[in-house]
Amino acid sequence: MDILLIKLLISHLLGDFFFQFDSWVKEKEIKKLRSPKFYLHILIHGLLILILVWNSNFILEALILTFLHAIIDAIKLLFQKEKTRRMWFFTDQIVHILSIIAVWYSVTDVRFTFDFLDNTHFWVCLATILTLTFPTSILIKVLIAKWTPTTYTPSNSPDETSLQSAGKFIGIMERLLIFTFIYTNHFEAIGFLLAAKSIFRFGDLKDGKELKLTEYVLIGTLLSFGIAIVLSLSVKAIIN
């Protein structure tokens, strides 16, 4: 990765997450564009870019990035609502990063290509990653449906003791981690992942009243790990 792009990304991280305090954020959300902290925040971003890049030939681009940052933040402040706070946070960060990449791209000789779309390995990995998400979750749910404890509340139904769909997304994340570990030849990390999940389930294991639920979860976990390992090893064999 180009060092200029890394410096620009670091300046963004420092400006948005290290040199912007909670009190500033709250004041900006209340006063919006009338808040002095908004302009101080933008000034800090500009100074960070100039300091980290430290190149007199980059002054114009630094000013453009600072201006773009101000515009993006202003739009967020003016249109963000309490219910849309999370959406605006991610949108704001994505647009900031895209603006950084666009400015960097305009001053470098680096050119993006789409040659990877003609690479069989890319499509094999993409197909495996997609398979390990929702299709595998549905497959496991169907396979162990007959063992579902009568006292078990599905993760997609309202229940104060469990986050909605938490089990499904935990399974997806663990399978994607297994694929990553195997693809990068870090097989030992799978053991740590299984051990970590076992520790979180220790309370269920020692509670006799939840024996059926524990067995149900263990079957699902082993199926999840097994499918992820088999698919990941198969992909690795195909690629090699």
Side-chain angles (χ1 to χ4, degrees), residues 71-123:
I71 295 298
I72 295 167
D73 276 13
I75 292 173
K76 176 188 174 185
L77 288 175
L78 293 174
F79 294 98
Q80 175 182 267
K81 305 296 181 184
E82 186 64 33
K83 293 182 179 179
T84 59
R85 183 187 300 272
R86 181 170 59 180
M87 181 199 74
W88 273 106
F89 171 80
F90 288 109
T91 302
D92 173 77
Q93 293 302 316
I94 291 171
V95 177
H96 280 315
I97 293 173
L98 289 177
S99 67
I100 289 172
I101 293 174
V103 172
W104 164 79
Y105 187 76
S106 68
V107 298
T108 61
D109 295 328
V110 178
R111 291 295 176 263
F112 294 118
T113 65
F114 294 93
D115 294 341
F116 65 91
L117 295 176
D118 294 325
N119 192 321
T120 304
H121 294 174
F122 167 77
W123 291 106

Side-chain angles (χ1 to χ4, degrees), residues 1-231:
M1 185 180 290
D2 186 79
I3 189 171
L4 174 61
L5 178 59
I6 296 174
K7 288 180 178 180
L8 292 176
L9 291 173
I10 290 176
S11 68
H12 171 71
L13 293 174
L14 290 174
D16 258 15
F17 299 101
F18 288 85
F19 294 106
Q20 180 173 216
F21 309 103
D22 291 341
S23 59
W24 292 19
V25 175
K26 292 178 181 178
E27 180 182 309
K28 289 194 300 179
E29 289 178 348
I30 295 172
K31 297 183 178 180
K32 301 189 182 300
L33 301 186
R34 293 182 291 106
S35 170
K37 297 298 190 298
F38 169 76
Y39 300 98
L40 180 58
H41 172 68
I42 301 304
L43 177 61
I44 289 174
H45 262 284
L47 291 175
L48 284 169
I49 294 172
L50 291 173
I51 292 171
L52 289 179
V53 175
W54 202 256
N55 187 337
S56 58
N57 295 324
F58 197 76
I59 293 178
L60 177 60
E61 288 76 13
L63 292 174
I64 292 173
L65 275 175
T66 305
F67 176 74
L68 289 174
H69 195 99
I71 295 298
I72 295 167
D73 276 13
I75 292 173
K76 176 188 174 185
L77 288 175
L78 293 174
F79 294 98
Q80 175 182 267
K81 305 296 181 184
E82 186 64 33
K83 293 182 179 179
T84 59
R85 183 187 300 272
R86 181 170 59 180
M87 181 199 74
W88 273 106
F89 171 80
F90 288 109
T91 302
D92 173 77
Q93 293 302 316
I94 291 171
V95 177
H96 280 315
I97 293 173
L98 289 177
S99 67
I100 289 172
I101 293 174
V103 172
W104 164 79
Y105 187 76
S106 68
V107 298
T108 61
D109 295 328
V110 178
R111 291 295 176 263
F112 294 118
T113 65
F114 294 93
D115 294 341
F116 65 91
L117 295 176
D118 294 325
N119 192 321
T120 304
H121 294 174
F122 167 77
W123 291 106
V124 170
C125 289
L126 179 60
T128 305
I129 290 171
L130 292 175
T131 302
L132 289 174
T133 56
F134 296 104
T136 302
S137 294
I138 295 173
L139 174 63
I140 293 173
K141 183 178 180 180
V142 172
L143 287 174
I144 65 177
K146 67 177 181 178
W147 293 309
T148 304
T150 55
T151 58
Y152 176 67
T153 303
S155 59
N156 59 355
S157 64
D159 179 15
E160 293 181 357
T161 62
S162 176
L163 297 176
Q164 186 175 3
S165 302
K168 178 173 63 177
F169 289 107
I170 289 172
I172 290 173
M173 287 187 286
E174 71 187 15
R175 289 190 294 274
L176 293 179
L177 284 172
I178 289 172
F179 173 77
T180 303
F181 295 150
I182 292 178
Y183 190 81
T184 56
N185 292 316
H186 290 91
F187 296 89
E188 68 281 356
I190 299 174
F192 286 105
L193 183 62
L194 183 59
K197 189 165 186 179
S198 299
I199 291 173
F200 283 117
R201 281 293 173 182
F202 178 73
D204 294 333
L205 291 171
K206 69 177 183 178
D207 191 349
K209 295 180 181 179
E210 299 294 336
L211 180 60
K212 289 184 179 180
L213 175 58
T214 300
E215 292 173 341
Y216 175 80
V217 171
L218 285 175
I219 291 172
T221 298
L222 293 176
L223 271 174
S224 180
F225 273 67
I227 292 172
I229 291 172
V230 169
L231 275 179

